[in-house]
């Protein structure tokens, strides 16, 4: 795959093309707020997406993630703040002058046009030369694996195939930024998994293309994104590299929203100088070397992901949480249990259960300090 086909030199011209060729495809929000009929739905968002990064915007419905994407696209005008693409202020530019490609969840293909005609639509709107249109359409369809379907109509394609065509149409104009607004939500589970693999391949093969991806699906975000931004009530709740945000969430909402999380009530006993580690007590267990710079005496939550909890100690250097088994709910890959730890019910999710004892029996659960992080209960970004 030749990444040069997406080079700035071959990109379609628009009013800020000279500045864009110098600054690349970064996207920045500078105190961007958006209001609808007097209600603020996006609150002073500060966020920087570097050129070539794949950023996933996730959060519950109404959190502001789609509004942020539409502000970049130019479909909504910020009430305040600035949006820059490639270092250039595009806040006042119309959508067609921003050099973007966008894919939405309902595909938005023209039913009366064949696949090749749909892919060519943006290029024709730019009044590109016919030979260039043919070349770009062929290349875009090849990238998404749809070359053999160029003569078909959208109604003759599956949902996954239609979404590939929508992506090809966005890529054909050679955007510097690709915006994806829940592009897989209308697909069934198997097709969605296949499309996630295709998007991951696309990101590998087009490393200079910046992608902003809005989704409700945590698995999609974890699989695809270099970085994740978690939105809540119109604000940025958490942001960072994907693995770091998953293993070291900064607050309770981020821990619970991004994957399954066991949040165990903990009391901070001491802080390890300036190392960013603490010693905490969970029930009767004293656990040292926990990631989290929290003052002694504070109450917090010890976050341990399900796959890092074990019933078999295995001779490793692990901490032990001892309790009485009170309830068990098996859910296939995960098992939810309730332990009484010093008379306090603690809910725990496990991925490896082996043979659980009877209800009312003692049960030990083991984990490593390296797999635990401490957050204060009221922590918020």
């Amino acid at each position: 795959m030749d990444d040069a086909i997406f080079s700035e030199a071959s990109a379609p011209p628009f009013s800020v093309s000279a500045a864009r060729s110098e600054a690349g495809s970064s996207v920045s929000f500078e105190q961007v707020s958006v209001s609808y009929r007097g209600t603020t739905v996006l609150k002073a968002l500060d966020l920087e997406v570097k050129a070539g990064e794949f950023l996933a915007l996730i959060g519950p419905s109404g959190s502001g993630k789609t509004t942020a994407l539409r502000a970049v696209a130019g479909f909504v005008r910020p009430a305040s703040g600035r949006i820059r693409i490639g270092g250039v202020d595009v806040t006042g530019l119309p959508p067609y002058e921003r050099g973007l490609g966008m894919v939405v969840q309902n595909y938005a293909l023209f039913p009366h046009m064949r696949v090749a005609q749909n892919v060519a639509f943006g290029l024709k709107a730019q009044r590109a030369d016919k030979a260039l249109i043919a070349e770009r359409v062929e290349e875009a369809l090849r990238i998404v694996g749809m070359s053999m379907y160029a003569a078909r109509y959208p109604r003759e394609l599956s949902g996954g195939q239609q979404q590939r065509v929508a992506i090809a149409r966005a890529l054909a104009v050679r955007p510097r930024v690709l915006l994806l607004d829940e592009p897989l939500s209308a697909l069934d589970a198997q097709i969605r998994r296949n499309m996630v693999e295709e998007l991951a391949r696309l990101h590998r093969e087009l490393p200079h293309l910046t992608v902003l991806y809005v989704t409700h699906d945590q698995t999609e975000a974890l699989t695809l994104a270099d970085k994740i931004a978690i939105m809540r009530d119109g604000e940025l709740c958490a942001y960072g590299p994907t693995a770091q945000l998953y293993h070291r969430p900064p607050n309770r909402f981020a821990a619970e929203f991004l994957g399954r999380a066991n949040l165990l009530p903990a009391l901070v006993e001491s802080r390890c100088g300036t190392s960013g580690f603490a010693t905490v007590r969970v029930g009767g267990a004293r656990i040292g070397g926990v990631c989290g710079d929290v003052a002694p005496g504070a109450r917090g939550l010890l976050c341990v992901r399900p796959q890092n909890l074990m019933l078999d100690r295995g001779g490793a250097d692990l901490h032990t949480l001892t309790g009485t088994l009170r309830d068990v709910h098996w859910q296939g890959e995960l098992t939810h249990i309730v332990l009484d730890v010093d008379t306090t019910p603690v809910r725990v999710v496990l991925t490896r259960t082996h043979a659980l004892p009877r209800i009312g029996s003692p049960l030990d659960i083991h984990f490593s300090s390296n797999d635990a992080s401490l957050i204060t209960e009221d922590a918020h970004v």
Side-chain angles (χ1 to χ4, degrees):
M1 176 63 220
D2 183 4
D3 296 329
I5 63 168
F6 283 89
S7 68
E8 298 296 340
S10 61
F14 73 117
S15 61
V16 291
S17 58
R20 133 188 190 180
S21 64
E22 296 175 3
S25 58
S26 60
V27 177
S28 63
F29 298 82
E30 300 173 2
Q31 290 288 295
V32 174
S33 64
V34 175
S35 299
Y36 295 129
R37 298 179 181 178
T39 300
T40 301
V41 295
L42 190 64
K43 306 172 184 176
L45 176 62
D46 275 314
L47 186 62
E48 179 78 24
V49 187
K50 295 180 180 179
E53 280 188 340
F54 194 124
L55 173 74
L57 286 158
I58 67 173
S61 297
S63 62
K65 57 187 185 299
T66 293
T67 299
L69 198 74
R70 289 173 62 83
V72 175
F75 297 148
V76 297
R77 183 70 180 267
S80 62
R82 317 305 297 173
I83 294 174
R84 299 183 188 276
I85 299 177
V88 177
D89 187 346
V90 300
T91 312
L93 288 180
Y96 60 84
E97 289 193 0
R98 299 190 179 200
L100 308 174
M102 189 165 186
V103 180
V104 296
Q105 58 182 304
N106 63 355
Y107 321 138
L109 299 178
F110 298 108
H112 63 288
M113 293 183 181
R114 298 181 187 273
V115 165
Q117 293 171 318
N118 267 281
V119 176
F121 182 81
L123 293 166
K124 288 183 177 180
Q126 295 176 352
R127 299 181 180 179
D129 179 83
K130 287 185 178 180
L132 180 62
I133 291 175
E135 176 187 339
R136 296 241 187 119
V137 168
E138 180 182 358
E139 186 65 30
L141 287 175
R142 185 186 67 78
I143 289 172
V144 300
M146 291 294 291
S147 297
M148 63 186 298
Y149 300 93
R152 293 194 184 184
Y153 288 99
R155 64 179 178 272
E156 298 173 323
L157 304 176
S158 69
Q161 290 171 333
Q162 290 182 47
Q163 195 59 291
R164 288 173 187 240
V165 174
I167 293 171
R169 182 174 59 187
L171 293 177
V173 297
R174 303 199 179 169
R176 47 186 173 157
V177 179
L178 180 62
L179 307 177
L180 301 170
D181 187 7
E182 301 194 51
L184 311 184
S185 62
L187 306 176
D188 64 42
Q190 182 59 50
I191 295 176
R192 186 181 305 170
R193 284 193 290 270
N194 293 340
M195 284 300 299
V196 167
E197 293 176 2
E198 289 300 316
L199 287 172
R201 179 186 61 81
L202 186 71
H203 182 43
R204 290 193 301 271
E205 295 185 352
L206 304 175
H208 304 300
L209 180 67
T210 304
V211 181
L212 273 65
Y213 187 93
V214 166
T215 181
H216 280 94
D217 192 297
Q218 305 157 6
T219 302
E220 290 176 17
L222 290 169
T223 302
L224 295 169
D226 301 311
K227 292 182 180 176
I228 292 176
I230 303 177
M231 305 292 295
R232 181 187 187 190
D233 298 331
E235 296 182 286
L236 185 63
C237 173
Y239 168 72
T242 299
Q244 177 181 321
L245 204 59
Y246 179 78
H247 292 293
R248 300 287 184 255
N251 52 60
R252 179 170 190 160
F253 184 80
E256 293 181 315
F257 196 84
L258 190 61
R260 298 277 186 170
N262 293 298
L263 299 176
L264 312 176
L267 175 66
V268 180
E269 288 192 342
S270 62
R271 186 166 50 188
C272 304
T274 59
S275 64
F277 292 89
T279 298
V280 303
R281 186 168 293 278
V282 179
R286 188 171 185 268
I287 302 166
V290 173
C291 180
D293 192 8
V294 184
R299 293 194 175 275
L301 297 167
L302 196 64
C303 177
V304 188
R305 298 294 180 181
Q307 66 272 21
N308 295 322
L309 289 177
M310 291 162 278
L311 300 183
D312 182 5
R313 189 176 183 89
D317 183 18
L318 301 175
H319 297 290
T320 301
L321 182 66
T322 299
T324 302
L325 185 61
R326 290 304 179 200
D327 204 0
V328 178
H329 295 281
W330 179 74
Q331 296 183 354
E333 295 179 356
L334 299 174
T335 299
H336 295 244
I337 68 175
V338 178
L339 285 177
D340 281 348
V341 180
D342 289 349
T343 72
T344 300
V346 175
R347 296 185 179 276
V348 176
V349 184
L350 304 165
T351 58
R352 298 184 293 273
T353 57
H354 304 294
L356 288 168
R358 294 177 180 271
I359 301 295
S361 301
L363 178 66
D364 290 342
I365 294 177
H366 313 285
F367 60 92
S368 168
S369 295
N370 294 330
D371 297 323
S373 62
L374 182 67
I375 57 177
T376 54
E377 294 189 70
D378 60 349
H380 188 71
V381 175

